[in-house]
Amino acid sequence: EREIRQRYPVLMSQNQELKELRAQNAEMKEQNRIIYQKAREYATYNRDAEARAQRAEHAYTIADLHAHDLTKQLAVLLHDKNRWSNASLAASRATFFQMTKAAEEEGEWPLS
């Protein structure tokens, strides 16, 4: 009985420490759960961001191709305008489509 009384404070101290460690363990588990959840959310956001970046790059490529095409079309129109503005009065009465057809037949497209 004497030995039990002597060890009782040590046992109570160890019991209290065990309770504290269990509480810390539960708190750390909750923190890990929150961190894991955030990591999953960030991974999803990152995948979505990569997909948006790829779509934006594709859209940029298409816009660039359209810009080049419009530049070529404008060059053709300016070429025809300059060509036909120097033509005679009779030739200037031709419609744009007739001029375009004539240019195709004559092979006078500036960018062909």
Side-chain angles (χ1 to χ4, degrees), residues 67-85 95-105 107-112:
H68 285 294
D69 186 47
L70 289 173
T71 301
K72 288 179 181 179
Q73 291 177 23
L74 182 59
V76 168
L77 291 173
L78 289 173
H79 175 264
D80 282 345
K81 179 186 178 284
N82 290 335
R83 180 175 161 230
W84 293 106
S85 66
T95 65
F96 171 75
F97 295 109
Q98 290 170 333
M99 290 186 286
T100 304
K101 185 175 180 182
E104 284 178 357
E105 291 172 356
E108 291 185 6
W109 288 102
L111 297 174
S112 11

Side-chain angles (χ1 to χ4, degrees), residues 9-22:
V10 173
L11 290 174
M12 291 305 291
S13 173
Q14 287 177 344
N15 189 27
Q16 181 63 29
E17 186 178 348
L18 179 63
K19 288 179 184 178
E20 290 173 6
L21 288 173
R22 284 183 177 159

Side-chain angles (χ1 to χ4, degrees), residues 3-111:
E3 189 176 330
I4 292 174
R5 286 184 194 172
Q6 286 177 344
R7 293 189 180 188
Y8 183 76
V10 173
L11 290 174
M12 291 305 291
S13 173
Q14 287 177 344
N15 189 27
Q16 181 63 29
E17 186 178 348
L18 179 63
K19 288 179 184 178
E20 290 173 6
L21 288 173
R22 284 183 177 159
Q24 287 177 355
N25 184 33
E27 185 178 331
M28 292 175 103
K29 281 182 180 180
E30 179 63 17
Q31 288 175 352
N32 284 344
R33 185 190 66 76
I34 292 169
I35 290 170
Y36 178 73
Q37 182 180 3
K38 286 183 181 181
R40 290 184 68 191
E41 289 172 4
Y42 290 142
T44 301
Y45 177 78
N46 190 30
R47 281 193 305 273
D48 292 346
E50 287 175 2
R52 285 191 306 271
Q54 287 177 350
R55 286 191 304 268
E57 185 175 336
H58 180 69
Y60 174 80
T61 301
I62 289 173
D64 192 43
L65 291 173
H66 284 291
H68 285 294
D69 186 47
L70 289 173
T71 301
K72 288 179 181 179
Q73 291 177 23
L74 182 59
V76 168
L77 291 173
L78 289 173
H79 175 264
D80 282 345
K81 179 186 178 284
N82 290 335
R83 180 175 161 230
W84 293 106
S85 66
N86 295 331
S88 67
L89 181 60
S92 65
R93 292 184 183 153
T95 65
F96 171 75
F97 295 109
Q98 290 170 333
M99 290 186 286
T100 304
K101 185 175 180 182
E104 284 178 357
E105 291 172 356
E106 296 170 12
E108 291 185 6
W109 288 102
L111 297 174

